Amino acid sequence: MSTPRIRTLLVDDERLARRGLELRLAAAPDVEIVGECENGREALEKVAELRPDLMFLDIQMPGLSGFDVLAQMPQDAVPVVVFVTAFDRYAIDAFEARALDYLLKPVEDSRLMLALDRVRDHLKTREQVQQHARLMGLLADVNGAGEIDADALVERVKGVVPRYPDILPIKTGRETLRVKAAEIDWIDAAGDYMCIHVGKQTHVIRGTMKDLEQALDPDVFQRVHRSAIVNLRRVRKLRPHANGEYFLTLDGGQELKLSSVVTRRPPTNVGSTPRALA
C-alpha cells in the first residue's frame, strides 16, 4: 500500500522563498506540492479550489497577511498550517492563530523535517478521529443507537436532592438500560453520536454534549475538551505537552487532551487533582 500523499500549498510573496521550500520538501517523498501563491487573495482561492492538507503560509505579505488569510478562511476548509516568517516576534501570535508549527527564515532542513513529523502525527490523529466517527455511525445504523430516557430521568430526580441522579437511563427500542453514573469513565463525541465509556463497554447514543452535561453532576463530571467529558474521579495524572497543552491519563490508561477552556463550573468537592483541571 502506497504512503498517503500530503497535498501541500506554498504561500509566500517571495518567489525565492517558495523555491527554497520546494527544494527542501523534495526530500520528503510523501509531500506533494499542489500549488503556489504569492499573496493572500490567491491563497484563499487556491485553498477553496484544491483543499490541500497542509499550507506553508508566510505571515508578512502585501495586502492580506497570513493572519488575515486564516481569519477569512471558512473553518471547515482550513488545512494544517505551518507559518513561515523572518521575524520571531510573531511566534506567540502564530500559535494563538492555531498554527501547528512556526518556521523562521532562512528555513533549516532539520527544523523543516521536524515540522513535517508534527504534521504527519496531526494528520494521522485527525484521520483516526474521523474514522472513529464513521465507525460509531455505522455501529448505530446496524445495532440502533440509544437515547437518554428523559421521562425516566425526570421521574428519578423529581423532588429529590441532589438534582443529579445516580442512574443514567438509556433507552434502546423498548428497553431501558440503567447505567450507573459513578461507573462512567468518560464520554466522547463521534459525529452525531455520544460514546459513553463504562469499563470495557461503550454505549452509543444519539445526543449532544450539552444533553449529557445537564444530566450529570458537574462536581464529578467535567467537560475537558469540546468533544470530551471526563469523570474527575477517574483521573490518574495530568501531564504537560508541547505548546502549553496538557493530557489527562485515566485509571484505564486512556489519554484525553485538556482544552484551555473548560465550559463547566469548577468542581467543589473532589480531590486536589480534579481541582487543578478547572
Side-chain angles (χ1 to χ4, degrees), residues 6-12 18-19 21-22 25 31-38 42-43 45-47 49-57:
I6 302 174
R7 303 178 66 257
T8 303
L9 183 68
L10 307 182
V11 183
D12 198 307
R18 298 196 306 272
R19 179 58 177 163
L21 265 180
E22 182 180 2
L25 290 171
V31 174
E32 177 186 4
I33 297 175
V34 295
E36 298 185 14
C37 306
E38 62 181 16
E42 286 185 9
E45 293 173 1
K46 285 293 185 181
V47 168
E49 174 189 349
L50 300 173
R51 294 281 179 161
D53 304 307
L54 170 64
M55 176 168 60
F56 287 94
L57 179 60

Side-chain angles (χ1 to χ4, degrees), residues 37-278:
C37 306
E38 62 181 16
N39 59 59
R41 291 294 177 193
E42 286 185 9
L44 290 171
E45 293 173 1
K46 285 293 185 181
V47 168
E49 174 189 349
L50 300 173
R51 294 281 179 161
D53 304 307
L54 170 64
M55 176 168 60
F56 287 94
L57 179 60
D58 187 21
I59 291 180
Q60 280 199 318
M61 295 183 292
L64 296 179
S65 70
F67 296 130
D68 294 332
V69 170
L70 287 187
Q72 294 188 28
M73 195 173 295
Q75 288 301 305
D76 62 350
V78 179
V80 176
V81 174
V82 174
F83 275 125
V84 185
T85 183
F87 303 97
D88 60 3
R89 67 175 182 269
Y90 291 116
I92 294 177
D93 291 336
F95 286 117
E96 287 181 348
R98 302 191 184 281
L100 183 69
D101 212 338
Y102 177 88
L103 299 177
L104 281 175
K105 298 177 182 178
V107 177
E108 298 179 356
D109 291 350
S110 59
R111 186 63 184 83
L112 177 60
M113 292 303 112
L114 180 61
L116 285 176
D117 284 341
R118 296 194 67 197
V119 169
R120 293 182 185 102
D121 289 343
H122 180 84
L123 290 174
K124 181 179 179 181
T125 301
R126 188 174 69 181
E127 174 59 27
Q128 288 172 341
V129 170
Q130 292 171 344
Q131 183 181 29
H132 178 59
R134 290 193 294 268
L135 287 173
M136 288 302 101
L138 179 61
L139 178 63
D141 288 341
V142 173
N143 295 334
E147 60 183 4
I148 299 295
D149 191 337
D151 294 335
L153 201 58
V154 169
E155 286 301 316
R156 285 194 59 81
V157 301
K158 188 182 296 181
V160 178
V161 178
R163 57 176 279 224
Y164 298 101
D166 56 1
I167 296 293
L168 192 67
I170 299 177
K171 190 174 183 180
T172 56
R174 296 182 178 180
E175 298 181 347
T176 297
L177 180 67
R178 293 162 52 84
V179 175
K180 292 182 179 180
E183 294 181 355
I184 296 174
D185 299 317
W186 59 291
I187 300 165
D188 68 327
D192 296 329
Y193 303 95
M194 298 293 109
C195 302
I196 302 175
H197 302 277
V198 184
K200 295 182 179 180
Q201 293 185 323
T202 297
H203 305 291
V204 182
I205 68 169
R206 289 187 176 90
T208 66
M209 279 285 166
K210 184 177 180 180
D211 294 336
L212 290 170
E213 280 187 292
Q214 293 175 345
L216 296 169
D217 186 349
D219 284 342
V220 179
F221 294 91
Q222 194 164 112
R223 190 166 178 176
V224 297
H225 190 268
R226 64 180 181 180
S227 59
I229 294 173
V230 67
N231 183 338
L232 298 177
R233 294 168 182 170
R234 293 288 195 271
V235 177
R236 182 196 305 166
K237 65 180 179 180
L238 176 68
R239 69 173 179 85
H241 194 55
N243 303 329
E245 296 174 344
Y246 284 84
F247 283 84
L248 308 175
T249 301
L250 305 187
D251 288 338
Q254 302 88 355
E255 276 202 334
L256 303 177
K257 183 177 178 181
L258 175 62
S259 171
S260 59
V261 178
V262 177
T263 60
R264 308 195 72 183
R265 64 181 176 85
T268 58
N269 61 359
V270 291
S272 58
T273 298
R275 287 177 191 271
L277 308 182

